[in-house]
Short mmCIF file of all heavy atoms in Angstrom, two decimals:
data_model
loop_
_atom_site.label_atom_id
_atom_site.label_comp_id
_atom_site.label_asym_id
_atom_site.label_seq_id
_atom_site.Cartn_x
_atom_site.Cartn_y
_atom_site.Cartn_z
N ASP H 297 92.55 79.75 1.46
CA ASP H 297 93.34 80.92 1.13
C ASP H 297 94.48 81.12 2.14
O ASP H 297 95.57 81.52 1.76
CB ASP H 297 92.45 82.16 1.08
CG ASP H 297 91.50 82.14 -0.11
OD1 ASP H 297 91.73 81.36 -1.06
OD2 ASP H 297 90.53 82.91 -0.09
N TRP H 304 103.05 80.41 0.30
CA TRP H 304 103.72 81.53 -0.36
C TRP H 304 104.81 82.09 0.57
O TRP H 304 105.89 82.44 0.13
CB TRP H 304 102.69 82.60 -0.71
CG TRP H 304 103.23 83.74 -1.49
CD1 TRP H 304 103.74 84.89 -1.00
CD2 TRP H 304 103.31 83.85 -2.91
NE1 TRP H 304 104.13 85.72 -2.01
CE2 TRP H 304 103.88 85.09 -3.21
CE3 TRP H 304 102.96 83.00 -3.96
CZ2 TRP H 304 104.11 85.53 -4.49
CZ3 TRP H 304 103.18 83.44 -5.25
CH2 TRP H 304 103.75 84.68 -5.52
N GLY H 305 104.49 82.17 1.84
CA GLY H 305 105.45 82.68 2.82
C GLY H 305 106.67 81.80 2.97
O GLY H 305 107.75 82.29 3.33
N HIS H 306 106.54 80.50 2.68
CA HIS H 306 107.70 79.61 2.72
C HIS H 306 108.57 79.78 1.48
O HIS H 306 109.78 79.54 1.53
CB HIS H 306 107.26 78.14 2.83
CG HIS H 306 106.65 77.80 4.16
ND1 HIS H 306 107.35 77.86 5.34
CD2 HIS H 306 105.40 77.40 4.49
CE1 HIS H 306 106.55 77.51 6.34
NE2 HIS H 306 105.35 77.22 5.85
N TYR H 308 108.74 82.70 -0.56
CA TYR H 308 109.23 84.07 -0.76
C TYR H 308 109.33 84.78 0.58
O TYR H 308 108.55 84.50 1.50
CB TYR H 308 108.27 84.84 -1.68
CG TYR H 308 108.17 84.25 -3.06
CD1 TYR H 308 107.12 83.38 -3.38
CD2 TYR H 308 109.13 84.50 -4.03
CE1 TYR H 308 107.02 82.81 -4.64
CE2 TYR H 308 109.05 83.94 -5.29
CZ TYR H 308 108.00 83.10 -5.58
OH TYR H 308 107.92 82.53 -6.84
N GLY H 330 85.61 76.67 15.60
CA GLY H 330 85.70 75.59 16.58
C GLY H 330 86.66 74.48 16.23
O GLY H 330 86.58 73.39 16.80
N SER H 355 96.04 87.38 19.23
CA SER H 355 94.75 86.71 19.05
C SER H 355 93.91 86.82 20.32
O SER H 355 92.71 87.09 20.26
CB SER H 355 94.94 85.24 18.70
OG SER H 355 95.60 85.11 17.46
N ASP H 357 94.14 89.15 22.56
CA ASP H 357 93.76 90.56 22.72
C ASP H 357 92.59 90.96 21.82
O ASP H 357 91.98 92.00 22.03
CB ASP H 357 94.95 91.47 22.46
CG ASP H 357 96.02 91.35 23.55
OD1 ASP H 357 95.68 90.90 24.66
OD2 ASP H 357 97.18 91.71 23.27
N GLN H 358 92.27 90.13 20.82
CA GLN H 358 91.13 90.40 19.94
C GLN H 358 89.80 90.01 20.61
O GLN H 358 88.75 90.19 20.02
CB GLN H 358 91.26 89.61 18.62
CG GLN H 358 92.43 90.02 17.77
CD GLN H 358 92.18 91.34 17.08
OE1 GLN H 358 91.07 91.60 16.64
NE2 GLN H 358 93.21 92.16 16.98
N PHE H 367 91.27 78.27 24.90
CA PHE H 367 92.33 77.63 24.12
C PHE H 367 93.61 78.47 24.17
O PHE H 367 94.70 77.96 24.44
CB PHE H 367 91.88 77.42 22.68
CG PHE H 367 92.96 76.91 21.77
CD1 PHE H 367 93.20 75.54 21.67
CD2 PHE H 367 93.75 77.78 21.03
CE1 PHE H 367 94.21 75.06 20.84
CE2 PHE H 367 94.75 77.31 20.20
CZ PHE H 367 94.98 75.94 20.11
N GLN H 389 95.68 85.00 33.55
CA GLN H 389 95.01 84.19 34.55
C GLN H 389 93.65 84.76 34.92
O GLN H 389 92.69 84.02 35.11
CB GLN H 389 95.89 84.06 35.82
CG GLN H 389 97.07 83.14 35.65
CD GLN H 389 96.65 81.71 35.35
OE1 GLN H 389 95.62 81.22 35.78
NE2 GLN H 389 97.45 81.02 34.56
N LEU H 399 81.14 80.88 32.58
CA LEU H 399 80.51 79.59 32.29
C LEU H 399 79.52 79.16 33.37
O LEU H 399 78.67 78.31 33.12
CB LEU H 399 81.58 78.50 32.11
CG LEU H 399 82.39 78.59 30.82
CD1 LEU H 399 83.54 77.58 30.84
CD2 LEU H 399 81.52 78.37 29.61
N THR H 400 79.60 79.75 34.55
CA THR H 400 78.64 79.41 35.61
C THR H 400 77.31 80.12 35.42
O THR H 400 76.33 79.74 36.03
CB THR H 400 79.19 79.76 37.02
OG1 THR H 400 79.30 81.18 37.15
CG2 THR H 400 80.53 79.09 37.28
N ARG H 406 75.17 85.04 29.34
CA ARG H 406 76.63 85.20 29.22
C ARG H 406 77.02 86.37 28.33
O ARG H 406 78.01 87.05 28.60
CB ARG H 406 77.26 83.92 28.68
CG ARG H 406 77.21 82.80 29.67
CD ARG H 406 77.79 81.53 29.09
NE ARG H 406 77.46 80.41 29.98
CZ ARG H 406 77.48 79.16 29.62
NH1 ARG H 406 77.82 78.83 28.40
NH2 ARG H 406 77.16 78.22 30.48
N LEU H 418 84.96 92.85 38.70
CA LEU H 418 83.96 93.76 38.13
C LEU H 418 82.71 92.99 37.71
O LEU H 418 81.59 93.50 37.83
CB LEU H 418 84.56 94.52 36.95
CG LEU H 418 83.86 95.78 36.51
CD1 LEU H 418 83.69 96.76 37.65
CD2 LEU H 418 84.64 96.43 35.38
N ALA H 433 76.19 83.71 43.88
CA ALA H 433 76.58 82.67 44.83
C ALA H 433 77.39 81.58 44.14
O ALA H 433 78.44 81.15 44.64
CB ALA H 433 75.35 82.07 45.50
N HIS H 440 86.28 80.92 44.58
CA HIS H 440 87.00 80.41 45.74
C HIS H 440 87.79 79.15 45.38
O HIS H 440 88.93 78.98 45.82
CB HIS H 440 86.03 80.12 46.90
CG HIS H 440 85.66 81.34 47.68
ND1 HIS H 440 86.41 81.80 48.74
CD2 HIS H 440 84.63 82.20 47.55
CE1 HIS H 440 85.86 82.89 49.23
NE2 HIS H 440 84.76 83.16 48.53
N LEU H 443 90.80 80.22 42.88
CA LEU H 443 91.85 81.08 43.42
C LEU H 443 92.79 80.36 44.37
O LEU H 443 93.81 80.93 44.76
CB LEU H 443 91.24 82.29 44.12
CG LEU H 443 90.65 83.35 43.19
CD1 LEU H 443 90.01 84.46 43.99
CD2 LEU H 443 91.70 83.91 42.26
N ALA H 444 92.48 79.14 44.73
CA ALA H 444 93.35 78.39 45.65
C ALA H 444 94.74 78.24 45.03
O ALA H 444 94.91 77.54 44.04
CB ALA H 444 92.74 77.04 45.95
N GLY H 445 95.71 78.95 45.60
CA GLY H 445 97.09 78.85 45.13
C GLY H 445 97.41 79.61 43.86
O GLY H 445 98.50 79.46 43.32
N GLU H 447 97.89 83.22 41.59
CA GLU H 447 98.16 84.65 41.69
C GLU H 447 97.61 85.30 40.43
O GLU H 447 98.10 85.09 39.33
CB GLU H 447 99.66 84.91 41.79
CG GLU H 447 100.23 84.54 43.13
CD GLU H 447 101.48 85.33 43.45
OE1 GLU H 447 101.69 86.40 42.84
OE2 GLU H 447 102.22 84.87 44.31
N LEU H 459 81.93 91.93 48.66
CA LEU H 459 80.63 91.48 49.17
C LEU H 459 80.24 92.22 50.45
O LEU H 459 79.09 92.61 50.62
CB LEU H 459 80.65 89.97 49.41
CG LEU H 459 80.82 89.10 48.16
CD1 LEU H 459 80.99 87.64 48.54
CD2 LEU H 459 79.68 89.28 47.19
N ASN H 468 72.29 100.22 54.73
CA ASN H 468 72.42 101.63 55.04
C ASN H 468 71.15 102.37 54.62
O ASN H 468 70.80 102.41 53.45
CB ASN H 468 73.63 102.20 54.30
CG ASN H 468 73.93 103.62 54.71
OD1 ASN H 468 73.37 104.12 55.69
ND2 ASN H 468 74.81 104.26 53.98
N LEU H 473 63.59 105.85 60.42
CA LEU H 473 62.24 105.31 60.40
C LEU H 473 61.48 105.89 61.58
O LEU H 473 61.98 105.93 62.70
CB LEU H 473 62.27 103.78 60.49
CG LEU H 473 62.95 103.07 59.33
CD1 LEU H 473 63.04 101.57 59.65
CD2 LEU H 473 62.17 103.27 58.06
#
Side-chain angles (χ1 to χ4, degrees):
D297 291 343
W304 185 269
H306 290 297
Y308 298 97
S355 296
D357 291 339
Q358 295 285 322
F367 173 86
Q389 286 298 328
L399 288 172
T400 67
R406 290 178 192 160
L418 199 54
H440 279 273
L443 287 177
E447 287 206 20
L459 295 173
N468 187 11
L473 297 174

